Amino acid sequence: MKKRTYKNFAIGQSTVEAAISLLFFCIFIAITMQLLWLLLAQQMLQATTLSASRFAAKSNVDLVGMNLLIQNRVRAIPGIELHIPKIKRLRPTDEDIKELGIYYSDSKGYRLPAEFSEVSLSLLNRAEQEKYLQVRVLQMEIIYCFSLRVPLAATLIKQVTKYSENDIYCQLQQRAKPMLPIRTRATIPLENDLWIENRS
């Protein structure tokens, strides 16, 4: 009788161990699938950001045109939910444009020429020359929110990822699935003059 009891106990224990192992295996597969999905989306969004930055370098950072270009490109990403991306010009800053640009009193704005005069450049010291050239490189950042669709993995990934202001932006999109911000950047030389309004 005791032998049968021990045998039943051993069978029950191995069943529990197998169930726990299967659970962990399923979690591992789910997380792997979601991470690979995220990697695919990130790579496609990086290519989209590069195209949008090239457009921005020609169009004085036309946000409407950039949004249309981005929406057309991201439709090809599996599982993406369309929304308005968060677009930011990182470089040159408004302060750089005001410092090195040309002010027009009639339009109350500053223009940063895409081309520069070698004569004007020769009048600057080494540090000023480097900054003069650096501000003619446009750096754009785009935040797009990606829906985490794999069950269980979505919850675990959201708990592990660092909370930031971009998470707040993604939460405001009000989607059924939890959303993770994907940040991409691209740097492109200016092809046309860059204008900003004088808000001060």
Side-chain angles (χ1 to χ4, degrees):
M1 187 70 179
K2 288 184 177 180
K3 289 183 178 180
R4 185 177 295 176
T5 303
Y6 289 142
K7 186 176 181 180
N8 291 340
F9 177 76
I11 292 173
Q13 185 179 6
S14 62
T15 303
V16 172
E17 290 174 354
I20 293 174
S21 299
L22 181 62
L23 175 62
F24 279 107
F25 178 74
C26 290
I27 293 174
F28 173 77
I29 293 296
I31 292 175
T32 302
M33 286 177 58
Q34 185 63 83
L35 290 177
L36 288 174
W37 201 348
L38 272 170
L39 180 62
L40 172 65
Q42 196 274 337
Q43 293 300 313
M44 295 182 75
L45 284 169
Q46 182 62 57
T48 300
T49 300
L50 183 60
S51 297
S53 298
R54 285 174 178 160
F55 176 82
K58 299 176 183 177
S59 64
N60 191 36
V61 192
D62 176 15
L63 294 179
V64 174
M66 290 181 70
N67 271 303
L68 290 174
L69 187 151
I70 293 168
Q71 299 300 345
N72 287 332
R73 294 293 182 91
V74 299
R75 291 176 193 275
I77 301 176
I80 202 76
E81 292 192 39
L82 298 180
H83 64 86
I84 298 174
K86 188 176 181 182
I87 303 173
K88 185 177 181 181
R89 170 170 46 85
L90 299 179
R91 206 172 62 198
T93 63
D94 287 357
E95 289 72 23
D96 290 335
I97 297 173
K98 288 179 181 179
E99 179 184 350
L100 299 171
I102 303 168
Y103 179 70
Y104 292 85
S105 57
D106 53 345
S107 61
K108 296 182 179 179
Y110 290 85
R111 178 176 68 90
L112 180 67
E115 297 180 355
F116 52 87
S117 168
E118 292 185 6
V119 177
S120 301
L121 195 61
S122 64
L123 299 176
L124 305 176
N125 61 41
R126 182 63 180 268
E128 291 173 333
Q129 287 178 355
E130 289 181 0
K131 186 170 185 180
Y132 194 85
L133 295 174
Q134 286 174 357
V135 297
R136 279 155 181 81
V137 176
L138 179 68
Q139 185 178 54
M140 300 298 301
E141 178 182 80
I142 295 177
I143 308 292
Y144 212 94
C145 304
F146 183 74
S147 298
L148 301 173
R149 294 174 175 269
V150 180
L152 188 59
T155 305
L156 291 174
I157 291 173
K158 279 300 292 181
Q159 290 179 349
V160 170
T161 54
K162 186 178 180 181
Y163 191 79
S164 67
E165 64 177 24
N166 295 325
D167 285 291
I168 299 175
Y169 172 74
C170 289
Q171 288 175 8
L172 293 175
Q173 305 305 318
Q174 296 181 352
R175 298 297 194 269
K177 304 289 184 182
M179 302 188 82
L180 189 72
I182 297 179
R183 176 187 304 184
T184 52
R185 293 180 179 180
T187 304
I188 298 291
L190 277 175
E191 295 189 30
N192 282 327
D193 298 350
L194 189 60
W195 288 81
I196 63 166
E197 295 180 358
N198 185 21
R199 300 182 181 88
S200 58

